[in-house]
């Protein structure tokens, strides 16, 4: 679907960015903007700013930024078309039903094609499993070994990759997809010796979806004794393991309390079938900070249901630390005497699992109990080490009431003197403070920069010049009247930095055409997310100390205009393609800057 620039601008203008973002994360007024802790990285001090005047957002911590469309694409993993449809529906604007031409379809980019390939592959795998004799052994595996119902198989779109090594390739090739895109999808490998070969064959298949329910990758388990036992799609333009969670698209809508975090796909599928539709799993990698922040959008409470073996315990402790750093509650479900949720539910049923959820241990208590099993409590030295570990764990609790509650429970359970433990915690806090001072001290020695002093001086000059241009452009965006006031003095050509110049041109064109600015519309000109973030940052540059008096403002503006203009003239004079006849004119312009009035 293709939408005109005019329609996109109308949709964006009728969806105030503050109102939209506030419906997902709580914003608080702060001067002329709105703030909150960034939803895209873990932080305790808010650095995420949203401007109603500019209709853009920017995080000064991680650099995330853009307009209201960008936010939905980042936060909800929407495609551009999905974000536009969401906003159009929200504003009551009817979208035209116009099919994309082949040329426009091509312009929509590789990501949409990759999603189409994954969607087609998922449908094909599911068809083989449920409609053909070739998929019978995969179907029997799911029904007999995993005890899954037809409803669950359909709900998760489970499938089977045939025994032939180019079966999927031939199918997708027949649907018109190029070898280049099939390679990029992570579903087909190419080699000179063997040609095209499917990544997945003779495997039961589990489609992996993003938070919006779109298929972005697959997990496959081999049937038989082949290795590797499990294979996942490699990371692609649409699939990042660290930033997705299996079944999060379903769990985010669950009415159950909290989110249950598991290790594997089959655990999650078994739990959903048993009624625990708030279960999710990480994707073939350790649980990450990014995944914690995804969960935090929908719930602040996580129940860990990892395997009960030693590797599972280590993974549980890593997850507890990540969740604690994200200021989220963590509880650990006891899976004994079984290894994982799948085995547990098959043997003891959903009702007993419900009981285990109710009795789940707080993360810190799990850590203390786990430590207790590692030390000989009758040995004075080992018991001292155990108590020191407890002190380090309790130190992380900033709330004194919570810390005291945990201290009471632990001291009672392990017969520890509370006053002694409290003293040890205080010593641990002081020692940690000293270490932090040492680690963050200023070094008097700097690494020599490659290229020597001359190159350093040149780079410093370029950095200063870009900073001046960025500052002036932001000043003009904040006060659009400056475009008229500086006419004949400053133009888009004076913004010589390669990343700032194109943005300046768009803004100058906007002002000439409409007499006003739309910073949010500038972002639409850049399909690349990284560039959108740079543009948002560029238009959110702040003065180090904004002058309050009118005369001081005028002087500060004159100084920055002079610096930008001086750099522009210098660039023109040193340009090897400069017309020599204009040299005298440029010299006079440079000399006249001392008399510049703005």
């Amino acid at each position: 679907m293709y939408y005109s620039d005019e329609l996109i601008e109308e949709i964006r203008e009728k969806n105030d960015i503050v109102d939209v973002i506030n419906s997902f994360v709580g914003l608080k007024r702060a001067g002329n903007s709105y703030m909150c802790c960034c939803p895209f990285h873990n932080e305790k001090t808010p650095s995420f700013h949203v401007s109603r005047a500019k209709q853009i957002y920017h995080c000064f911590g991680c650099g995330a930024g853009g307009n209201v469309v960008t936010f939905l694409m980042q936060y909800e993993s929407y495609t551009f078309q999905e974000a536009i449809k969401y906003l159009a529906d929200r504003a009551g604007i009817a979208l035209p039903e116009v099919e994309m031409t082949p040329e426009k379809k091509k312009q929509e980019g590789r990501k949409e094609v990759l999603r189409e390939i994954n969607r087609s592959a998922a449908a094909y795998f599911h068809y083989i499993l449920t409609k053909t004799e070739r998929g019978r052994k995969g179907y029997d595996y799911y029904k007999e070994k995993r005890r899954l119902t037809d409803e669950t198989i359909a709900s998760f779109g489970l499938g089977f990759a045939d025994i032939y090594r180019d079966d999927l390739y031939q199918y997708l090739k027949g649907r018109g997809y190029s070898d280049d895109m099939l390679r990029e999808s992570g579903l087909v490998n190419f080699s000179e010796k063997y040609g095209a070969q499917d990544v997945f064959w003779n495997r039961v298949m589990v489609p992996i979806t993003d938070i919006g329910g779109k298929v972005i990758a697959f997990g496959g388990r081999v049937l038989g004794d082949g290795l590797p036992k499990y294979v996942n799609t490699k990371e692609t333009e649409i699939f990042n393991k660290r930033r997705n969670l299996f079944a999060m698209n379903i769990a985010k809508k669950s009415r159950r309390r909290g989110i249950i975090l598991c290790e594997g796909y089959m655990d999650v599928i078994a739990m959903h079938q048993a009624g625990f539709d708030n279960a999710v799993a990480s994707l073939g990698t350790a649980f990450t900070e990014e995944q914690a922040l995804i969960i935090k959008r929908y719930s602040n409470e996580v129940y860990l249901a990892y395997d009960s073996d030693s590797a599972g315990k280590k993974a549980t402790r890593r997850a507890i630390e990540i969740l604690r750093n994200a200021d989220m509650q963590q509880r650990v479900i006891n899976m004994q005497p079984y290894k994982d949720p799948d085995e547990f539910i098959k043997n003891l049923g959903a009702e007993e699992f419900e009981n285990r959820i109710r009795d789940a241990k707080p993360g810190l208590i799990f850590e203390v109990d786990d430590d207790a099993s590692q030390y000989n409590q009758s040995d004075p030295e080992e018991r001292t080490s155990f108590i020191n570990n407890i002190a380090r764990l309790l130190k992380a609790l900033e709330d004194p009431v919570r810390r005291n509650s945990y201290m009471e429970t632990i001291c009672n359970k392990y017969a520890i003197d509370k006053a002694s433990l409290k003293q040890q915690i205080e010593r641990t806090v002081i020692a940690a403070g000293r270490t932090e001072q040492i680690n963050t001290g200023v070094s008097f020695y700097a690494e020599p920069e490659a290229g020597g002093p001359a190159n350093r001086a040149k780079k410093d000059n370029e950095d200063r010049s870009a900073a001046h241009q960025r500052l002036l452009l932001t000043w003009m965006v904040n006060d659009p009247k400056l475009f008229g006031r500086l006419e004949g003095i400053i133009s888009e050509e004076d913004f010589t930095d390669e990343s700032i110049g194109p943005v300046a041109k768009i803004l100058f064109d906007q002002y000439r055409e409409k007499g006003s600015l739309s910073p949010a519309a500038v972002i639409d000109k850049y399909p690349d997310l990284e560039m959108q973030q740079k543009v948002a940052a560029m238009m959110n540059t702040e003065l180090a100390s904004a002058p309050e008096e009118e005369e001081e403002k005028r002087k500060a503006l004159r100084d920055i205009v002079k610096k930008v203009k001086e750099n522009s003239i210098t660039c023109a004079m040193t340009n090897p393609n400069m017309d020599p006849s204009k040299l005298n004119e440029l010299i006079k312009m440079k000399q006249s800057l001392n008399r510049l009035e703005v």
Side-chain angles (χ1 to χ4, degrees):
M1 192 68 64
Y2 168 72
Y3 306 118
S4 67
D5 292 344
E6 292 75 20
L7 178 60
I8 292 169
E9 189 165 358
E10 180 189 358
I11 291 169
R12 196 180 54 249
E13 286 177 350
K14 291 188 177 179
N15 284 277
D16 181 80
I17 193 168
V18 172
D19 295 340
V20 173
I21 293 181
N22 194 47
S23 68
F24 291 94
V25 296
L27 294 173
K28 291 184 179 180
R29 185 75 180 259
N32 293 325
S33 65
Y34 295 78
M35 292 177 63
C36 69
C37 286
C38 181
F40 304 117
H41 84 287
N42 183 32
E43 63 177 8
K44 293 186 178 179
T45 303
S47 60
F48 185 84
H49 290 245
V50 184
S51 169
R52 177 165 270 152
K54 300 176 187 177
Q55 289 293 300
I56 59 178
Y57 68 91
H58 175 66
C59 174
F60 290 92
C62 69
N67 59 22
V68 67
V69 178
T70 316
F71 178 81
L72 290 172
M73 292 172 70
Q74 281 190 285
Y75 191 85
E76 291 286 18
S77 298
Y78 284 166
T79 63
F80 178 80
Q81 287 75 23
E82 288 167 341
I84 289 296
K85 186 177 187 312
Y86 174 91
L87 294 171
D89 291 344
R90 187 178 182 276
I93 298 173
L95 292 173
E97 294 295 327
V98 181
E99 282 299 319
M100 273 197 288
T101 64
E103 184 60 31
K104 288 297 179 185
K105 189 171 183 178
K106 185 178 179 182
Q107 288 177 8
E108 284 303 313
R110 299 164 64 86
K111 289 185 180 181
E112 190 57 39
V113 177
L114 291 175
R115 288 188 179 91
E116 288 179 6
I117 290 173
N118 278 276
R119 185 166 60 244
S120 297
Y124 185 61
F125 290 143
H126 186 66
Y127 171 79
I128 292 176
L129 180 83
T130 58
K131 302 295 184 183
T132 73
E133 194 58 35
R134 292 178 292 156
R136 171 57 61 178
K137 64 177 181 176
Y139 182 78
D140 290 344
Y141 169 83
Y142 279 133
K143 293 289 287 186
E144 296 170 12
K145 188 171 178 61
R146 293 296 184 175
R147 302 185 201 173
L148 299 182
T149 64
D150 287 340
E151 183 182 359
T152 299
I153 289 171
S155 175
F156 281 89
L158 304 181
F160 180 70
D162 209 344
I163 60 172
Y164 304 107
R165 295 194 180 201
D166 67 345
D167 183 64
L168 179 66
Y169 170 72
Q170 295 298 341
Y171 172 75
L172 293 173
K173 201 60 178 161
R175 292 182 65 84
Y177 296 110
S178 68
D179 284 354
D180 176 54
M181 293 309 299
L182 293 177
R183 182 187 292 107
E184 291 299 315
S185 73
L187 294 173
V188 181
N189 288 330
F190 292 84
S191 68
E192 290 185 13
K193 186 174 181 180
Y194 298 107
Q197 285 191 308
D198 297 343
V199 170
F200 301 99
W201 53 278
N202 193 34
R203 292 178 182 271
V204 285
M205 300 298 295
V206 179
I208 298 167
T209 61
D210 61 19
I211 205 163
K214 301 292 185 294
V215 181
I216 55 175
F218 293 91
R221 185 196 189 282
V222 72
L223 291 185
D225 299 325
L227 292 174
K229 188 175 181 180
Y230 294 97
V231 172
N232 291 323
T233 303
K234 69 175 185 179
E235 293 203 343
T236 67
E237 289 183 56
I238 62 171
F239 177 49
N240 184 313
K241 295 176 184 177
R242 296 176 60 85
R243 296 176 182 172
N244 286 280
L245 285 156
F246 181 69
M248 193 68 217
N249 59 307
I250 304 170
K252 71 176 184 178
K253 302 172 187 175
S254 175
R255 294 180 178 273
R256 284 185 162 272
R257 177 179 172 177
I259 294 291
I260 302 174
L261 183 61
C262 307
E263 284 193 80
Y265 310 134
M266 295 313 302
D267 290 330
V268 171
I269 294 169
M271 291 182 71
H272 278 242
Q273 181 169 279
F276 302 98
D277 62 349
N278 57 333
V280 302
S282 48
L283 300 165
T285 184
F287 185 62
T288 67
E289 179 184 299
E290 293 94 332
Q291 290 167 337
L293 292 174
I294 292 171
I295 293 174
K296 194 174 182 179
R297 298 177 193 172
Y298 306 100
S299 176
N300 201 47
E301 190 171 10
V302 176
Y303 293 85
L304 292 158
Y306 282 7
D307 290 358
S308 58
D309 57 14
S310 59
K313 285 183 179 180
K314 286 181 181 177
T316 298
R317 295 196 67 152
R318 283 196 300 269
I320 287 171
E321 185 178 1
I322 289 170
L323 293 165
R324 183 183 291 134
N325 290 339
D327 201 23
M328 298 170 70
Q329 296 178 37
Q330 340 88 38
R331 290 184 176 273
V332 181
I333 300 170
N334 178 14
M335 226 72 64
Q336 296 288 355
Y338 297 100
K339 181 185 176 184
D340 56 41
D342 187 20
E343 285 185 12
F344 186 101
I345 289 171
K346 282 183 174 68
N347 287 279
L348 296 181
E351 187 175 343
E352 180 56 28
F353 195 80
E354 194 81 73
N355 294 335
R356 295 293 178 96
I357 292 174
R358 188 189 63 237
D359 298 335
K361 287 181 183 179
L364 192 142
I365 299 297
F366 172 86
E367 290 175 302
V368 171
D369 290 347
D370 187 43
D371 281 346
S373 68
Q374 311 295 321
Y375 292 95
N376 180 359
Q377 298 295 319
S378 61
D379 183 298
E381 291 299 329
E382 291 206 23
R383 183 166 168 79
T384 300
S385 296
F386 168 59
I387 294 172
N388 287 340
N389 274 354
I390 293 173
R392 280 191 286 271
L393 289 170
L394 289 173
K395 175 182 72 72
L397 300 180
E398 296 178 359
D399 183 350
V401 176
R402 285 185 69 216
R403 182 187 286 179
N404 193 60
S405 297
Y406 274 99
M407 202 182 307
E408 289 275 2
T409 300
I410 294 165
C411 287
N412 289 338
K413 184 172 183 178
Y414 291 102
I416 299 170
D417 179 65
K418 186 178 176 182
S420 298
L421 179 58
K422 190 173 182 180
Q423 286 180 350
Q424 183 58 28
I425 292 169
E426 289 170 357
R427 282 195 291 268
T428 305
V429 169
I430 292 168
R434 286 174 183 160
T435 303
E436 188 174 337
Q437 271 189 326
I438 293 168
N439 290 341
T440 58
V442 177
S443 171
F444 290 91
Y445 300 96
E447 286 291 325
E449 191 172 330
N455 275 358
R456 279 202 303 276
K458 181 181 178 183
K459 185 178 185 304
D460 289 345
N461 186 56
E462 290 172 351
D463 290 345
R464 278 195 299 272
S465 173
H468 295 150
Q469 293 172 47
R470 197 159 41 242
L471 183 57
L472 177 58
L473 195 63
T474 302
W475 202 333
M476 295 174 76
V477 169
N478 288 340
D479 184 4
K481 291 179 183 176
L482 288 177
F483 281 86
R485 183 172 159 186
L486 296 176
E487 188 174 359
I489 300 172
I490 286 287
S491 73
E492 60 265 50
E493 293 177 0
D494 294 310
F495 294 86
T496 58
D497 184 87
E498 61 181 12
S499 61
I500 301 173
V503 177
K505 184 177 188 322
I506 296 170
L507 290 168
F508 272 86
D509 286 345
Q510 283 182 352
Y511 189 82
R512 290 189 191 105
E513 290 173 16
K514 301 178 180 179
S516 62
L517 302 179
S518 175
V522 177
I523 290 168
D524 283 339
K525 303 291 184 183
Y526 296 89
D528 178 67
L529 178 61
E530 184 179 350
M531 194 57 206
Q532 289 181 356
Q533 292 176 346
K534 286 181 179 179
V535 173
M538 196 182 301
M539 291 188 286
N540 276 282
T541 303
E542 297 289 345
L543 279 167
S545 55
E548 294 182 6
E549 297 295 328
E550 195 59 40
E551 181 57 32
E552 289 180 355
K553 282 184 182 178
R554 196 164 66 82
K555 183 179 181 302
L557 177 62
R558 184 182 64 216
D559 288 346
I560 197 69
V561 168
K562 180 181 174 183
K563 287 172 181 173
V564 171
K565 194 70 182 178
E566 191 173 45
N567 173 74
S568 173
I569 294 169
T570 300
C571 287
M573 290 172 69
T574 56
N575 187 337
N577 298 320
M578 184 197 71
D579 183 349
S581 64
K582 294 186 177 180
L583 181 59
N584 286 335
E585 183 183 342
L586 289 171
I587 293 172
K588 289 179 182 179
M589 285 176 64
K590 195 166 187 177
Q591 291 170 344
S592 69
L593 290 179
N594 292 325
R595 302 186 300 276
L596 182 68
E597 290 295 334
V598 297

